Amino acid sequence: MSKKANNFLPAPRRLTAAALALTAATALVAYAQPASASSHRPCAIVKHRSTAGVTTVGTATATLGADGVRLTTARSANPDKVSWQTLVKPVLAAAVTEVSYETMKLDSTAGDNNVVNDAALPAYHIFVRTDAGAGVLIYEPYNYLATIGGGNPQRGVRTEWNVLTGPLWTSSTTIAGLPKTAGGPATKTFAQVVADNPRMTVTGIGFGLGTYNAGVIAVLDEQRFATTRTCSEHQWSTSFKNGRWWPGRTR
């Protein structure tokens, strides 16, 4: 959940977020598996050995761990935020075939969003360019769960999210059919945005955990972006190497 925060312009088998719509009560449990799974096409792995390029604000932190990069914001600290962005070779948005990532929410339930935001997980950012200029499309898991009546993200389970299912929102004024907001509502899928912006190109991807997301502890890893020609997967996990999980990986 990234209220007021994302206004920067600049694989073994598991359940996808699309499958949640079929069995919302049980499909959230999705333990990670190696990236070479049959559920995904072969993909070039980009292994991150540090948190270089990750930006933190306030007391937010980003650290590498066995399962991925652990992102935190302090309890009762709405100004905290953390983000990362990388460029991709500009590609027509209509050629995008897969956008996904995995998260696990580890903070404890507080029942007070001023202390711990129960809905918040890191958002997936898709940076784009339209005829009107640069912009960003933002996917947040709680928006998807709202469309299927799934409630807040479960804690302690690793889940893969299919970003193309949407819905998406934007903090930009350059994307036709999707008005600028400070955190939603999210209203359209990626395909619907492409239909409204047929010449839109994707120029980068990233993640963000924005302001007004107090008390969040979450792991993010295996951030994938694929087109009809190329596929890349960003990994921060220290226990995943050469297609195998090393001993000591947490669940």
mmCIF file with all atom_site columns, all heavy atoms in Angstrom, residues 66-87:
data_model
loop_
_atom_site.group_PDB
_atom_site.id
_atom_site.type_symbol
_atom_site.label_atom_id
_atom_site.label_alt_id
_atom_site.label_comp_id
_atom_site.label_asym_id
_atom_site.label_entity_id
_atom_site.label_seq_id
_atom_site.pdbx_PDB_ins_code
_atom_site.Cartn_x
_atom_site.Cartn_y
_atom_site.Cartn_z
_atom_site.occupancy
_atom_site.B_iso_or_equiv
_atom_site.pdbx_formal_charge
_atom_site.auth_seq_id
_atom_site.auth_comp_id
_atom_site.auth_asym_id
_atom_site.auth_atom_id
_atom_site.pdbx_PDB_model_num
ATOM 1   N N   . ALA A 1 66 ? 17.961 -14.516 3.368   1.00 0.00 ? 66 ALA A N   1
ATOM 2   C CA  . ALA A 1 66 ? 17.893 -15.811 2.712   1.00 0.00 ? 66 ALA A CA  1
ATOM 3   C C   . ALA A 1 66 ? 16.823 -15.863 1.639   1.00 0.00 ? 66 ALA A C   1
ATOM 4   O O   . ALA A 1 66 ? 17.006 -16.469 0.591   1.00 0.00 ? 66 ALA A O   1
ATOM 5   C CB  . ALA A 1 66 ? 17.638 -16.900 3.751   1.00 0.00 ? 66 ALA A CB  1
ATOM 6   N N   . ASP A 1 67 ? 15.685 -15.223 1.886   1.00 0.00 ? 67 ASP A N   1
ATOM 7   C CA  . ASP A 1 67 ? 14.541 -15.300 0.977   1.00 0.00 ? 67 ASP A CA  1
ATOM 8   C C   . ASP A 1 67 ? 14.405 -14.105 0.046   1.00 0.00 ? 67 ASP A C   1
ATOM 9   O O   . ASP A 1 67 ? 13.511 -14.094 -0.804  1.00 0.00 ? 67 ASP A O   1
ATOM 10  C CB  . ASP A 1 67 ? 13.246 -15.426 1.781   1.00 0.00 ? 67 ASP A CB  1
ATOM 11  C CG  . ASP A 1 67 ? 12.973 -16.871 2.177   1.00 0.00 ? 67 ASP A CG  1
ATOM 12  O OD1 . ASP A 1 67 ? 13.818 -17.721 1.888   1.00 0.00 ? 67 ASP A OD1 1
ATOM 13  O OD2 . ASP A 1 67 ? 11.918 -17.132 2.769   1.00 0.00 ? 67 ASP A OD2 1
ATOM 14  N N   . GLY A 1 68 ? 15.220 -13.081 0.213   1.00 0.00 ? 68 GLY A N   1
ATOM 15  C CA  . GLY A 1 68 ? 15.101 -11.900 -0.640  1.00 0.00 ? 68 GLY A CA  1
ATOM 16  C C   . GLY A 1 68 ? 15.505 -10.648 0.105   1.00 0.00 ? 68 GLY A C   1
ATOM 17  O O   . GLY A 1 68 ? 16.177 -10.711 1.135   1.00 0.00 ? 68 GLY A O   1
ATOM 18  N N   . VAL A 1 69 ? 15.102 -9.505  -0.415  1.00 0.00 ? 69 VAL A N   1
ATOM 19  C CA  . VAL A 1 69 ? 15.405 -8.249  0.240   1.00 0.00 ? 69 VAL A CA  1
ATOM 20  C C   . VAL A 1 69 ? 14.306 -7.960  1.260   1.00 0.00 ? 69 VAL A C   1
ATOM 21  O O   . VAL A 1 69 ? 13.123 -7.993  0.946   1.00 0.00 ? 69 VAL A O   1
ATOM 22  C CB  . VAL A 1 69 ? 15.561 -7.093  -0.775  1.00 0.00 ? 69 VAL A CB  1
ATOM 23  C CG1 . VAL A 1 69 ? 14.306 -6.874  -1.606  1.00 0.00 ? 69 VAL A CG1 1
ATOM 24  C CG2 . VAL A 1 69 ? 15.980 -5.807  -0.069  1.00 0.00 ? 69 VAL A CG2 1
ATOM 25  N N   . ARG A 1 70 ? 14.705 -7.720  2.495   1.00 0.00 ? 70 ARG A N   1
ATOM 26  C CA  . ARG A 1 70 ? 13.750 -7.438  3.557   1.00 0.00 ? 70 ARG A CA  1
ATOM 27  C C   . ARG A 1 70 ? 13.601 -5.928  3.680   1.00 0.00 ? 70 ARG A C   1
ATOM 28  O O   . ARG A 1 70 ? 14.579 -5.210  3.906   1.00 0.00 ? 70 ARG A O   1
ATOM 29  C CB  . ARG A 1 70 ? 14.206 -8.032  4.877   1.00 0.00 ? 70 ARG A CB  1
ATOM 30  C CG  . ARG A 1 70 ? 13.270 -7.705  6.044   1.00 0.00 ? 70 ARG A CG  1
ATOM 31  C CD  . ARG A 1 70 ? 13.712 -8.335  7.337   1.00 0.00 ? 70 ARG A CD  1
ATOM 32  N NE  . ARG A 1 70 ? 13.521 -9.788  7.333   1.00 0.00 ? 70 ARG A NE  1
ATOM 33  C CZ  . ARG A 1 70 ? 13.181 -10.490 8.414   1.00 0.00 ? 70 ARG A CZ  1
ATOM 34  N NH1 . ARG A 1 70 ? 13.006 -9.896  9.573   1.00 0.00 ? 70 ARG A NH1 1
ATOM 35  N NH2 . ARG A 1 70 ? 13.030 -11.794 8.345   1.00 0.00 ? 70 ARG A NH2 1
ATOM 36  N N   . LEU A 1 71 ? 12.369 -5.471  3.545   1.00 0.00 ? 71 LEU A N   1
ATOM 37  C CA  . LEU A 1 71 ? 12.043 -4.048  3.601   1.00 0.00 ? 71 LEU A CA  1
ATOM 38  C C   . LEU A 1 71 ? 11.271 -3.768  4.875   1.00 0.00 ? 71 LEU A C   1
ATOM 39  O O   . LEU A 1 71 ? 10.325 -4.493  5.207   1.00 0.00 ? 71 LEU A O   1
ATOM 40  C CB  . LEU A 1 71 ? 11.214 -3.648  2.381   1.00 0.00 ? 71 LEU A CB  1
ATOM 41  C CG  . LEU A 1 71 ? 11.766 -4.093  1.013   1.00 0.00 ? 71 LEU A CG  1
ATOM 42  C CD1 . LEU A 1 71 ? 10.800 -3.712  -0.097  1.00 0.00 ? 71 LEU A CD1 1
ATOM 43  C CD2 . LEU A 1 71 ? 13.144 -3.504  0.763   1.00 0.00 ? 71 LEU A CD2 1
ATOM 44  N N   . THR A 1 72 ? 11.641 -2.719  5.583   1.00 0.00 ? 72 THR A N   1
ATOM 45  C CA  . THR A 1 72 ? 10.944 -2.391  6.824   1.00 0.00 ? 72 THR A CA  1
ATOM 46  C C   . THR A 1 72 ? 10.658 -0.900  6.907   1.00 0.00 ? 72 THR A C   1
ATOM 47  O O   . THR A 1 72 ? 11.409 -0.069  6.394   1.00 0.00 ? 72 THR A O   1
ATOM 48  C CB  . THR A 1 72 ? 11.762 -2.784  8.067   1.00 0.00 ? 72 THR A CB  1
ATOM 49  O OG1 . THR A 1 72 ? 12.846 -1.863  8.249   1.00 0.00 ? 72 THR A OG1 1
ATOM 50  C CG2 . THR A 1 72 ? 12.307 -4.196  7.955   1.00 0.00 ? 72 THR A CG2 1
ATOM 51  N N   . THR A 1 73 ? 9.553  -0.580  7.562   1.00 0.00 ? 73 THR A N   1
ATOM 52  C CA  . THR A 1 73 ? 9.255  0.783   7.998   1.00 0.00 ? 73 THR A CA  1
ATOM 53  C C   . THR A 1 73 ? 8.956  0.723   9.485   1.00 0.00 ? 73 THR A C   1
ATOM 54  O O   . THR A 1 73 ? 8.462  -0.290  9.985   1.00 0.00 ? 73 THR A O   1
ATOM 55  C CB  . THR A 1 73 ? 8.056  1.384   7.249   1.00 0.00 ? 73 THR A CB  1
ATOM 56  O OG1 . THR A 1 73 ? 6.911  0.529   7.456   1.00 0.00 ? 73 THR A OG1 1
ATOM 57  C CG2 . THR A 1 73 ? 8.333  1.496   5.755   1.00 0.00 ? 73 THR A CG2 1
ATOM 58  N N   . ALA A 1 74 ? 9.253  1.793   10.192  1.00 0.00 ? 74 ALA A N   1
ATOM 59  C CA  . ALA A 1 74 ? 9.080  1.783   11.637  1.00 0.00 ? 74 ALA A CA  1
ATOM 60  C C   . ALA A 1 74 ? 7.603  1.873   12.023  1.00 0.00 ? 74 ALA A C   1
ATOM 61  O O   . ALA A 1 74 ? 6.798  2.479   11.316  1.00 0.00 ? 74 ALA A O   1
ATOM 62  C CB  . ALA A 1 74 ? 9.850  2.945   12.270  1.00 0.00 ? 74 ALA A CB  1
ATOM 63  N N   . ARG A 1 75 ? 7.259  1.252   13.129  1.00 0.00 ? 75 ARG A N   1
ATOM 64  C CA  . ARG A 1 75 ? 5.903  1.361   13.650  1.00 0.00 ? 75 ARG A CA  1
ATOM 65  C C   . ARG A 1 75 ? 5.595  2.832   13.947  1.00 0.00 ? 75 ARG A C   1
ATOM 66  O O   . ARG A 1 75 ? 6.439  3.573   14.452  1.00 0.00 ? 75 ARG A O   1
ATOM 67  C CB  . ARG A 1 75 ? 5.763  0.523   14.925  1.00 0.00 ? 75 ARG A CB  1
ATOM 68  C CG  . ARG A 1 75 ? 5.948  -0.963  14.667  1.00 0.00 ? 75 ARG A CG  1
ATOM 69  C CD  . ARG A 1 75 ? 6.120  -1.730  15.960  1.00 0.00 ? 75 ARG A CD  1
ATOM 70  N NE  . ARG A 1 75 ? 4.876  -1.830  16.722  1.00 0.00 ? 75 ARG A NE  1
ATOM 71  C CZ  . ARG A 1 75 ? 4.017  -2.835  16.633  1.00 0.00 ? 75 ARG A CZ  1
ATOM 72  N NH1 . ARG A 1 75 ? 4.255  -3.834  15.794  1.00 0.00 ? 75 ARG A NH1 1
ATOM 73  N NH2 . ARG A 1 75 ? 2.937  -2.870  17.376  1.00 0.00 ? 75 ARG A NH2 1
ATOM 74  N N   . SER A 1 76 ? 4.391  3.230   13.601  1.00 0.00 ? 76 SER A N   1
ATOM 75  C CA  . SER A 1 76 ? 3.926  4.604   13.829  1.00 0.00 ? 76 SER A CA  1
ATOM 76  C C   . SER A 1 76 ? 4.755  5.639   13.078  1.00 0.00 ? 76 SER A C   1
ATOM 77  O O   . SER A 1 76 ? 4.764  6.817   13.452  1.00 0.00 ? 76 SER A O   1
ATOM 78  C CB  . SER A 1 76 ? 3.925  4.940   15.335  1.00 0.00 ? 76 SER A CB  1
ATOM 79  O OG  . SER A 1 76 ? 3.186  4.001   16.056  1.00 0.00 ? 76 SER A OG  1
ATOM 80  N N   . ALA A 1 77 ? 5.445  5.224   11.998  1.00 0.00 ? 77 ALA A N   1
ATOM 81  C CA  . ALA A 1 77 ? 6.312  6.153   11.257  1.00 0.00 ? 77 ALA A CA  1
ATOM 82  C C   . ALA A 1 77 ? 5.819  6.290   9.825   1.00 0.00 ? 77 ALA A C   1
ATOM 83  O O   . ALA A 1 77 ? 6.344  5.658   8.914   1.00 0.00 ? 77 ALA A O   1
ATOM 84  C CB  . ALA A 1 77 ? 7.759  5.672   11.292  1.00 0.00 ? 77 ALA A CB  1
ATOM 85  N N   . ASN A 1 78 ? 4.801  7.122   9.616   1.00 0.00 ? 78 ASN A N   1
ATOM 86  C CA  . ASN A 1 78 ? 4.234  7.274   8.283   1.00 0.00 ? 78 ASN A CA  1
ATOM 87  C C   . ASN A 1 78 ? 5.181  7.865   7.243   1.00 0.00 ? 78 ASN A C   1
ATOM 88  O O   . ASN A 1 78 ? 5.025  7.597   6.059   1.00 0.00 ? 78 ASN A O   1
ATOM 89  C CB  . ASN A 1 78 ? 2.957  8.123   8.357   1.00 0.00 ? 78 ASN A CB  1
ATOM 90  C CG  . ASN A 1 78 ? 1.790  7.334   8.916   1.00 0.00 ? 78 ASN A CG  1
ATOM 91  O OD1 . ASN A 1 78 ? 1.726  6.121   8.755   1.00 0.00 ? 78 ASN A OD1 1
ATOM 92  N ND2 . ASN A 1 78 ? 0.879  8.013   9.590   1.00 0.00 ? 78 ASN A ND2 1
ATOM 93  N N   . PRO A 1 79 ? 6.183  8.689   7.596   1.00 0.00 ? 79 PRO A N   1
ATOM 94  C CA  . PRO A 1 79 ? 7.073  9.236   6.552   1.00 0.00 ? 79 PRO A CA  1
ATOM 95  C C   . PRO A 1 79 ? 8.035  8.223   5.941   1.00 0.00 ? 79 PRO A C   1
ATOM 96  O O   . PRO A 1 79 ? 8.610  8.477   4.882   1.00 0.00 ? 79 PRO A O   1
ATOM 97  C CB  . PRO A 1 79 ? 7.854  10.339  7.286   1.00 0.00 ? 79 PRO A CB  1
ATOM 98  C CG  . PRO A 1 79 ? 7.025  10.672  8.487   1.00 0.00 ? 79 PRO A CG  1
ATOM 99  C CD  . PRO A 1 79 ? 6.407  9.362   8.891   1.00 0.00 ? 79 PRO A CD  1
ATOM 100 N N   . ASP A 1 80 ? 8.246  7.079   6.578   1.00 0.00 ? 80 ASP A N   1
ATOM 101 C CA  . ASP A 1 80 ? 9.212  6.104   6.069   1.00 0.00 ? 80 ASP A CA  1
ATOM 102 C C   . ASP A 1 80 ? 8.794  5.578   4.700   1.00 0.00 ? 80 ASP A C   1
ATOM 103 O O   . ASP A 1 80 ? 7.617  5.317   4.448   1.00 0.00 ? 80 ASP A O   1
ATOM 104 C CB  . ASP A 1 80 ? 9.322  4.909   7.025   1.00 0.00 ? 80 ASP A CB  1
ATOM 105 C CG  . ASP A 1 80 ? 10.188 5.201   8.228   1.00 0.00 ? 80 ASP A CG  1
ATOM 106 O OD1 . ASP A 1 80 ? 10.607 6.362   8.390   1.00 0.00 ? 80 ASP A OD1 1
ATOM 107 O OD2 . ASP A 1 80 ? 10.430 4.262   9.023   1.00 0.00 ? 80 ASP A OD2 1
ATOM 108 N N   . LYS A 1 81 ? 9.773  5.391   3.818   1.00 0.00 ? 81 LYS A N   1
ATOM 109 C CA  . LYS A 1 81 ? 9.516  4.728   2.544   1.00 0.00 ? 81 LYS A CA  1
ATOM 110 C C   . LYS A 1 81 ? 10.819 4.172   1.978   1.00 0.00 ? 81 LYS A C   1
ATOM 111 O O   . LYS A 1 81 ? 11.914 4.602   2.341   1.00 0.00 ? 81 LYS A O   1
ATOM 112 C CB  . LYS A 1 81 ? 8.846  5.653   1.536   1.00 0.00 ? 81 LYS A CB  1
ATOM 113 C CG  . LYS A 1 81 ? 9.649  6.860   1.099   1.00 0.00 ? 81 LYS A CG  1
ATOM 114 C CD  . LYS A 1 81 ? 8.838  7.687   0.086   1.00 0.00 ? 81 LYS A CD  1
ATOM 115 C CE  . LYS A 1 81 ? 9.598  8.925   -0.358  1.00 0.00 ? 81 LYS A CE  1
ATOM 116 N NZ  . LYS A 1 81 ? 8.801  9.707   -1.346  1.00 0.00 ? 81 LYS A NZ  1
ATOM 117 N N   . VAL A 1 82 ? 10.680 3.198   1.073   1.00 0.00 ? 82 VAL A N   1
ATOM 118 C CA  . VAL A 1 82 ? 11.829 2.555   0.447   1.00 0.00 ? 82 VAL A CA  1
ATOM 119 C C   . VAL A 1 82 ? 11.455 2.222   -0.988  1.00 0.00 ? 82 VAL A C   1
ATOM 120 O O   . VAL A 1 82 ? 10.309 1.855   -1.269  1.00 0.00 ? 82 VAL A O   1
ATOM 121 C CB  . VAL A 1 82 ? 12.260 1.298   1.239   1.00 0.00 ? 82 VAL A CB  1
ATOM 122 C CG1 . VAL A 1 82 ? 11.112 0.331   1.386   1.00 0.00 ? 82 VAL A CG1 1
ATOM 123 C CG2 . VAL A 1 82 ? 13.457 0.615   0.606   1.00 0.00 ? 82 VAL A CG2 1
ATOM 124 N N   . SER A 1 83 ? 12.404 2.375   -1.928  1.00 0.00 ? 83 SER A N   1
ATOM 125 C CA  . SER A 1 83 ? 12.086 2.139   -3.336  1.00 0.00 ? 83 SER A CA  1
ATOM 126 C C   . SER A 1 83 ? 13.326 1.718   -4.106  1.00 0.00 ? 83 SER A C   1
ATOM 127 O O   . SER A 1 83 ? 14.461 1.920   -3.668  1.00 0.00 ? 83 SER A O   1
ATOM 128 C CB  . SER A 1 83 ? 11.492 3.401   -3.978  1.00 0.00 ? 83 SER A CB  1
ATOM 129 O OG  . SER A 1 83 ? 12.416 4.479   -3.910  1.00 0.00 ? 83 SER A OG  1
ATOM 130 N N   . TRP A 1 84 ? 13.080 1.104   -5.269  1.00 0.00 ? 84 TRP A N   1
ATOM 131 C CA  . TRP A 1 84 ? 14.156 0.673   -6.175  1.00 0.00 ? 84 TRP A CA  1
ATOM 132 C C   . TRP A 1 84 ? 13.638 0.750   -7.590  1.00 0.00 ? 84 TRP A C   1
ATOM 133 O O   . TRP A 1 84 ? 12.450 0.510   -7.839  1.00 0.00 ? 84 TRP A O   1
ATOM 134 C CB  . TRP A 1 84 ? 14.570 -0.761  -5.849  1.00 0.00 ? 84 TRP A CB  1
ATOM 135 C CG  . TRP A 1 84 ? 15.505 -1.374  -6.837  1.00 0.00 ? 84 TRP A CG  1
ATOM 136 C CD1 . TRP A 1 84 ? 16.853 -1.185  -6.935  1.00 0.00 ? 84 TRP A CD1 1
ATOM 137 C CD2 . TRP A 1 84 ? 15.162 -2.289  -7.894  1.00 0.00 ? 84 TRP A CD2 1
ATOM 138 N NE1 . TRP A 1 84 ? 17.369 -1.916  -7.980  1.00 0.00 ? 84 TRP A NE1 1
ATOM 139 C CE2 . TRP A 1 84 ? 16.344 -2.607  -8.587  1.00 0.00 ? 84 TRP A CE2 1
ATOM 140 C CE3 . TRP A 1 84 ? 13.963 -2.856  -8.318  1.00 0.00 ? 84 TRP A CE3 1
ATOM 141 C CZ2 . TRP A 1 84 ? 16.371 -3.474  -9.676  1.00 0.00 ? 84 TRP A CZ2 1
ATOM 142 C CZ3 . TRP A 1 84 ? 13.977 -3.726  -9.397  1.00 0.00 ? 84 TRP A CZ3 1
ATOM 143 C CH2 . TRP A 1 84 ? 15.174 -4.027  -10.067 1.00 0.00 ? 84 TRP A CH2 1
ATOM 144 N N   . GLN A 1 85 ? 14.522 1.089   -8.510  1.00 0.00 ? 85 GLN A N   1
ATOM 145 C CA  . GLN A 1 85 ? 14.139 1.200   -9.921  1.00 0.00 ? 85 GLN A CA  1
ATOM 146 C C   . GLN A 1 85 ? 15.310 0.800   -10.802 1.00 0.00 ? 85 GLN A C   1
ATOM 147 O O   . GLN A 1 85 ? 16.471 1.073   -10.488 1.00 0.00 ? 85 GLN A O   1
ATOM 148 C CB  . GLN A 1 85 ? 13.738 2.646   -10.258 1.00 0.00 ? 85 GLN A CB  1
ATOM 149 C CG  . GLN A 1 85 ? 13.380 2.870   -11.717 1.00 0.00 ? 85 GLN A CG  1
ATOM 150 C CD  . GLN A 1 85 ? 13.059 4.328   -12.029 1.00 0.00 ? 85 GLN A CD  1
ATOM 151 O OE1 . GLN A 1 85 ? 13.047 5.168   -11.138 1.00 0.00 ? 85 GLN A OE1 1
ATOM 152 N NE2 . GLN A 1 85 ? 12.823 4.642   -13.290 1.00 0.00 ? 85 GLN A NE2 1
ATOM 153 N N   . THR A 1 86 ? 15.012 0.108   -11.906 1.00 0.00 ? 86 THR A N   1
ATOM 154 C CA  . THR A 1 86 ? 16.025 -0.209  -12.901 1.00 0.00 ? 86 THR A CA  1
ATOM 155 C C   . THR A 1 86 ? 15.447 0.018   -14.286 1.00 0.00 ? 86 THR A C   1
ATOM 156 O O   . THR A 1 86 ? 14.240 -0.129  -14.498 1.00 0.00 ? 86 THR A O   1
ATOM 157 C CB  . THR A 1 86 ? 16.510 -1.662  -12.753 1.00 0.00 ? 86 THR A CB  1
ATOM 158 O OG1 . THR A 1 86 ? 17.645 -1.875  -13.604 1.00 0.00 ? 86 THR A OG1 1
ATOM 159 C CG2 . THR A 1 86 ? 15.422 -2.662  -13.125 1.00 0.00 ? 86 THR A CG2 1
ATOM 160 N N   . LEU A 1 87 ? 16.296 0.387   -15.215 1.00 0.00 ? 87 LEU A N   1
ATOM 161 C CA  . LEU A 1 87 ? 15.862 0.620   -16.585 1.00 0.00 ? 87 LEU A CA  1
ATOM 162 C C   . LEU A 1 87 ? 15.778 -0.698  -17.346 1.00 0.00 ? 87 LEU A C   1
ATOM 163 O O   . LEU A 1 87 ? 16.508 -1.645  -17.059 1.00 0.00 ? 87 LEU A O   1
ATOM 164 C CB  . LEU A 1 87 ? 16.833 1.559   -17.300 1.00 0.00 ? 87 LEU A CB  1
ATOM 165 C CG  . LEU A 1 87 ? 16.990 2.968   -16.719 1.00 0.00 ? 87 LEU A CG  1
ATOM 166 C CD1 . LEU A 1 87 ? 18.068 3.734   -17.489 1.00 0.00 ? 87 LEU A CD1 1
ATOM 167 C CD2 . LEU A 1 87 ? 15.663 3.720   -16.753 1.00 0.00 ? 87 LEU A CD2 1
#
